[in-house]
Amino acid sequence: MTTYKLAVIPGPGIGAEVVPEAVRLLESTDLTFDCRYMEIGYEVFKKTGTPVPDEVLTEIRKTQACLFGATTTPVGVPGYKSAIITLRRALGLYANVRPAKSYPIQKSMKDVDLVIVRENTEGLYSGMEFELPDSAYTLRVITRKATELITRFAFDLAMKRRKKVTVVTKANVLRKSDGLFLEVSRKVAEDYPDVEVEEAFVDVTAMRLVLKPHIFDVIVTSNLFGDILSDEAAGLVGGLGLAPSANIGADYALFEPVHGSAPRLAGRGIANPMAAILASKMMLDYLGENRWAERVEKAVVSVLEEGKVLTPDLGGSSSTKQVTDAIIDAL
Ligand code: NAI
Ligand code: MG
C-alpha cells in the first residue's frame, strides 16, 4: 500500500488548531501518510531574513502534496512579503481553486455549486511595488503564458462539470492587462466547443453572485478579483469556516482553508475545522483517492445536516475537537 508523503504547515493562530484536526481525520481513514511538519512565515523571517527559506522549499519538494493552515502577514514590515504568496509562486502553483457549494445549514443559499479558478502568480499580486515621493505604485501584471494556463485549467475543469465558464475581467477599464486576459481566453475557448462561455465584468459578477449564484459553474479570473469573489462566494454558502481551496501547479499542489490565522479567534479551541477538513478532501481527490474524498465530504455534510455538533460560527457551541470527532464518527 502506498504511503503518501505530505508537507504539513499549520502556521500560526487557528491554522495550528485546524490543521492537526484535518491530519487526525486523514489518519482515521485506512490510508497511510508520512506527515513532515514544516514552518514558514513571519517567525521564520525574523530568524532567517526570509519567510520561505530554500531548505524548506527543498523539503517540501520531496513530498507529494502540502496541507497548509494559515499565515499571519503583518502590515507595514519593510522587506516582508506574504509567506503563502511567496510559496505559491516558488512552487509554480498557478491555479487557485475555490469551490463554493450549498451545504445543509441555515446560512447557506440553496443550489449553489460553483468553482472560482483564480490566477495565482501575477495580476495585482505581482509583488512589483515601488514608491515615489507622495505616491505609491503596484504593477498589475498579466502575461499570455499564465493566462493561457489558468484559462485552460478552467475549461478542463468545466468539461468535468456543467460545461460553463464565466471569464471575469474589467477589460472596459483595464484595457491593456484585462484586454490581454480576454484575448487569450477567447483563443483557448476555441479548443472547447462544448463549453458555454460567458464574459462578464467583475462588478456585475459581484452582484450576480449574490442575486443568482446558481447560474455559475466555473468562474475564471485574475488574482485580486478571484480573491475577493471567492470570499464573497464563501459567504453565500456558510462562511469561511466551510471554505476550502487548492493551489495547483504542473507537478505539485497545496491545499488550505480559505481563511487566515484569525488571531482574535485563536487559542479558544472553537475554530471550525471543516474548511481544513474539506481542503484535505480536495487533496484526497488530487492524490487519486476519490472514494475517500467522497466519504469525507459526506461525513461533513451529515454532521451539518444533523446540526448538533457545530462550532459557534455555524450557530453551535461545540469545540474544534468535538466537531472533528463527529466527522470521524460519521466516516
Ligand atoms: P481570517 O480569515 O483569518 O478571519 C476572518 C474572520 O473570519 C475571523 O475573525 C473569524 O471570525 C472568521 N473565521 C475565519 N476562519 C474561521 C474558522 N475556521 N472558524 C470560525 N470562524 C472563522 O482573516 P483576517 O482576520 O482578515 O486575517 C488574519 C490574518 O490571516 C492576517 O494576518 C492575514 O494576512 C492572514 N490571512 C492569511 C491567509 C492565508 O494564509 N491563506 C488568508 C487570509 C488571511
Ligand atoms: Mg482572501
Side-chain angles (χ1 to χ4, degrees):
M1 195 169 162
T2 30
T3 299
Y4 294 110
K5 290 191 200 81
L6 301 183
V8 180
I9 309 179
I14 65 167
E17 299 174 27
V18 296
V19 168
E21 297 300 285
V23 171
R24 193 152 72 83
L25 175 117
L26 287 171
E27 286 174 343
S28 77
T29 66
D30 66 6
L31 307 169
T32 40
F33 298 93
D34 167 9
C35 293
R36 302 169 181 193
Y37 288 84
M38 300 175 198
E39 222 187 303
I40 63 168
Y42 189 54
E43 292 306 313
V44 174
F45 171 83
K46 284 197 281 190
K47 278 180 255 163
T48 67
T50 163
V52 186
D54 285 342
E55 306 84 75
V56 178
L57 273 178
T58 306
E59 290 308 307
I60 293 176
R61 289 200 177 101
K62 290 180 191 159
T63 64
Q64 287 159 280
C66 176
L67 193 57
F68 184 85
T71 55
T72 300
T73 307
V75 179
V77 175
Y80 187 74
K81 279 187 180 165
S82 160
I84 182 65
I85 293 178
T86 307
L87 187 60
R88 286 170 186 156
R89 199 169 295 135
L91 295 171
L93 306 177
Y94 64 84
N96 192 321
V97 182
R98 298 184 168 189
K101 211 166 165 178
S102 296
Y103 285 113
I105 52 164
Q106 235 192 345
K107 286 194 290 177
S108 179
M109 294 264 284
K110 287 198 176 34
D111 305 322
V112 183
D113 183 6
L114 61 87
V115 181
I116 296 183
V117 175
R118 156 185 167 197
E119 203 293 319
N120 220 8
T121 63
E122 53 181 33
L124 204 54
Y125 294 177
S126 67
M128 295 180 196
E129 300 193 293
F130 61 94
E131 285 165 309
L132 295 177
D134 299 320
S135 60
Y137 303 82
T138 300
L139 285 184
R140 185 172 198 269
V141 178
I142 300 287
T143 64
R144 194 175 288 280
K145 188 170 165 222
T147 309
E148 162 136 22
L149 275 174
I150 200 66
T151 48
R152 214 166 265 294
F153 186 97
F155 279 88
D156 285 335
L157 180 63
M159 286 299 288
K160 293 184 229 151
R161 295 175 45 95
R162 302 198 307 280
K163 297 194 174 62
K164 179 174 176 187
V165 171
T166 306
V167 181
V168 175
T169 66
K170 188 74 184 175
N172 51 340
V173 179
L174 306 170
R175 303 181 78 87
K176 295 289 179 205
S177 54
D178 267 350
L180 180 61
F181 195 94
L182 213 47
E183 179 199 317
V184 172
S185 73
R186 284 176 185 160
K187 191 96 188 66
V188 168
E190 287 172 10
D191 295 338
Y192 300 84
D194 294 340
V195 176
E196 179 194 345
V197 189
E198 177 184 62
E199 292 172 358
F201 296 133
V202 63
D203 41 1
V204 181
T205 304
M207 181 193 68
R208 284 165 80 220
L209 259 179
V210 172
L211 294 179
K212 295 182 180 174
H214 56 273
I215 66 171
F216 295 103
D217 179 18
V218 175
I219 293 175
V220 63
T221 188
S222 52
N223 211 335
L224 171 70
F225 295 165
D227 192 5
I228 297 169
L229 292 179
S230 60
D231 273 30
E232 185 188 356
L236 285 174
V237 294
L240 288 172
L242 279 174
S245 72
N247 298 267
I248 299 192
D251 48 21
Y252 196 77
L254 176 151
F255 301 84
E256 56 170 330
V258 171
H259 64 72
S261 57
R264 266 175 300 163
L265 191 66
R268 292 160 59 194
I270 53 164
N272 192 344
M274 286 175 169
I277 286 170
L278 290 168
S280 63
K281 178 257 172 204
M282 294 179 84
M283 186 177 75
L284 289 170
D285 268 326
Y286 174 79
L287 294 172
E289 297 291 349
N290 310 79
R291 214 174 50 86
W292 275 109
E294 202 177 306
R295 284 177 69 174
V296 168
E297 186 174 30
K298 280 200 174 128
V300 172
V301 168
S302 79
V303 169
L304 289 169
E305 245 161 12
E306 204 159 274
K308 286 195 197 126
V309 186
L310 300 174
T311 43
D313 57 307
L314 298 181
S317 55
S318 302
S319 69
T320 309
K321 286 198 171 3
Q322 286 167 329
V323 170
T324 313
D325 288 341
I327 297 169
I328 291 174
D329 284 344
L331 257 187

